[in-house]
Amino acid sequence: MASNKRLLMLPGDGIGPEVMREVRRVIEWMDKRRAVSFDLSEDLVGGSAIDAHGTPLTDETMTTAMEADAVLLGAVGGPKWDNLPFDQKPERGLLRLRKEMDLYANLRPAMCFDALVDASSLKPELVSGLDIMIVRELTAGVYFGEPRGIETLPNGQRKGINTQTYTTSEIRRVCRVAYELAQKRDNRVCSVEKANVMESGVLWREEAQWVHDQEFAGVELGHMYADNCAMQLVRAPKQFDVIVTDNLFGDMLSDCAAMLTGSLGMLPSASLGDTDATGRRRALFEPVHGSAPDIAGQDLANPIAMLLSFAMALRYSFDLAEDADLIETAVQNVLAGGLRTADIMQPGKAKVSTNVMGEALVGELNKLAA
Ligand code: NAD
């Protein structure tokens, strides 16, 4: 038997619990068929935690998250809590997790499953076989830099201020994550900034190069300006393997890359922090989509983004790459077999519910593991 692995599940709100249910099924399957067992706990986050405890994340849940080997989150938010003050909203629960776990590297893969090449806005030959990883710095940069605010000038005009700041260590640690990832992939990193017009970009480029030269000289490193990168992502996305970039550019470029692959219901993500003395890295895995209140409770949600997020947890927190591959292959095969949830429905395919999609995925895992 493999040793226990502490996994905290936070289904959250809306479709969160529905898609998490399908992950549970796969976990039960792994327990039975792969002899991989998890030490599972489940707790509330977001609106459901507000309803039960008056806060979007209790201190107890925060402690469990800090002690877990990985946290799997569904989604938070919904109209029921929209009118709460900003600091009491469901999203604060997620923000607290990210902040206190110090999750500075956000991994957003953009993979195109063959069966869905037609869902992309680009020509099939440009996206077929696409597999890129965007690593976005998540805890610094212009979204956090000081000074910030809106001030009124003596002449009555108003001035909005945000400040882009990066320190050596903030750049180096996220670049290390990117180089380590590249070593397990196609061994190529493209570091992206605007060194032509921003001093923080000059520093970014120098530090990315420094970490490379000192610690990862075997990885192929290129540098690109962010505007060119946006253009290249829609011109020839397959030229990239790993892209590493700051918080602001990463926000834009990861959404741009995501749409190369079709639907929100297919997109996983991971956020990683530092590794502790025991080798455990703080990590949170969640789909890119939100709680989708418009379809919540109707068995319509696509569970694949959630399941692929779990596959990322297997790969990056539990070193179970073979099991992660198995899940990704099961997704590929079920799609190739013609099953589609409503969000990725195409003519001539079979429209299925969340539950049926989950069943089909486990059925496919059974076949693959036979
Ligand atoms: P959303 O991602 O929830 O939904 C956008 C659209 O995509 C909707 O039409 C929805 O039905 C569809 N969709 C999303 N995921 C899907 C899935 N798995 N299967 C099928 N269809 C899917 O974004 P939104 O509507 O802007 O936000 C709804 C709520 O979610 C808000 O309260 C927002 O604050 C919250 N939100 C939370 C997160 C998070 O928890 N990380 C992220 C984004 C939005």
Side-chain angles (χ1 to χ4, degrees):
M1 276 299 269
S3 65
N4 271 356
K5 298 159 179 62
R6 283 167 304 175
L7 181 64
L8 171 62
M9 299 173 107
L10 299 172
D13 309 318
I15 62 168
E18 297 172 55
V19 293
M20 193 68 90
R21 204 167 299 134
E22 303 311 319
V23 171
R24 256 194 189 272
R25 251 193 229 228
V26 171
I27 290 178
E28 281 160 20
W29 178 86
M30 286 183 71
D31 198 12
K32 273 198 232 119
R33 295 294 304 272
R34 304 282 293 171
V36 177
S37 56
F38 292 90
D39 178 359
L40 282 185
S41 51
E42 185 169 321
D43 218 328
L44 301 173
V45 68
S48 57
I50 294 174
D51 290 350
H53 305 298
T55 170
L57 189 81
T58 64
D59 292 344
E60 291 73 27
T61 311
M62 189 66 238
T63 305
T64 316
M66 296 296 260
E67 288 167 356
D69 293 307
V71 178
L72 200 58
L73 187 133
V76 296
K80 183 176 176 192
W81 306 280
D82 273 354
N83 295 324
L84 289 174
F86 189 67
D87 61 342
Q88 292 167 28
K89 278 187 186 291
E91 288 75 8
R92 301 305 293 182
L94 179 53
L95 294 178
R96 182 175 175 199
L97 280 166
R98 287 182 182 153
K99 182 159 182 270
E100 293 192 23
M101 292 171 77
D102 195 15
L103 303 172
Y104 56 81
N106 182 222
L107 277 52
R108 290 271 300 264
M111 269 170 78
C112 190
F113 289 96
D114 282 347
L116 296 183
V117 284
D118 292 331
S120 171
S121 48
L122 295 193
K123 296 190 193 90
E125 63 270 25
L126 290 183
V127 290
S128 158
L130 179 77
D131 178 8
I132 60 181
M133 176 71 81
I134 300 199
V135 180
R136 166 189 172 191
E137 199 291 323
L138 201 60
T139 53
V142 74
Y143 294 159
F144 297 94
E146 298 283 346
R148 61 185 298 157
I150 299 175
E151 61 185 43
T152 302
L153 301 173
N155 66 3
Q157 287 216 61
R158 296 202 305 153
K159 183 175 169 184
I161 304 157
N162 290 93
T163 308
Q164 165 90 326
T165 68
Y166 269 105
T167 62
T168 304
S169 59
E170 285 165 350
I171 300 170
R172 287 184 184 177
R173 64 183 188 171
V174 73
C175 287
R176 282 191 187 99
V177 170
Y179 294 131
E180 283 167 11
L181 279 171
Q183 285 176 326
K184 294 186 185 161
R185 296 168 48 94
D186 201 33
N187 210 32
R188 293 180 294 121
V189 171
C190 179
S191 169
V192 170
E193 26 59 18
K194 288 280 288 175
N196 50 342
V197 286
M198 296 169 75
E199 283 74 9
S200 58
V202 172
L203 185 74
W204 185 283
R205 185 174 285 221
E206 289 174 1
E207 295 300 340
Q209 189 68 50
W210 186 91
V211 179
H212 171 268
D213 296 350
Q214 298 297 317
E215 302 170 25
F216 297 92
V219 176
E220 191 182 314
L221 171 66
H223 301 275
M224 195 178 274
Y225 297 139
D227 47 346
N228 185 25
C229 183
M231 220 152 53
Q232 296 300 330
L233 272 175
V234 288
R235 191 188 72 85
K238 284 190 266 186
Q239 69 183 282
F240 297 107
D241 178 24
V242 176
I243 292 173
V244 61
T245 189
D246 74 18
N247 204 342
L248 174 66
F249 297 138
D251 195 0
M252 318 284 156
L253 295 174
S254 60
D255 271 11
C256 170
M259 277 302 106
L260 301 174
T261 68
S263 161
L264 213 46
M266 297 291 301
L267 298 168
S269 81
S271 301
L272 306 180
D274 267 331
T275 307
D276 66 17
T278 67
R280 184 181 61 114
R281 195 188 263 286
R282 295 231 163 93
L284 175 92
F285 302 86
E286 56 179 326
V288 169
H289 63 71
S291 59
D294 53 335
I295 58 165
Q298 300 171 49
D299 203 17
L300 285 175
N302 185 347
I304 293 178
M306 186 78 246
L307 188 60
L308 293 175
S309 303
F310 173 62
M312 290 185 85
L314 296 178
R315 200 180 289 287
Y316 299 117
S317 285
F318 299 116
D319 213 14
L320 291 168
E322 207 181 299
D323 296 84
D325 287 345
L326 207 62
I327 290 176
E328 287 168 8
T329 308
V331 169
Q332 178 88 38
N333 292 355
V334 164
L335 294 173
L339 297 194
R340 301 282 187 276
T341 43
D343 58 311
I344 51 172
M345 185 55 193
Q346 293 165 305
K349 305 296 178 192
K351 188 152 97 180
V352 297
S353 64
T354 312
N355 184 44
V356 170
M357 180 58 93
E359 246 167 41
L361 287 162
V362 170
E364 188 58 33
L365 285 168
N366 270 326
K367 273 194 230 160
L368 289 168

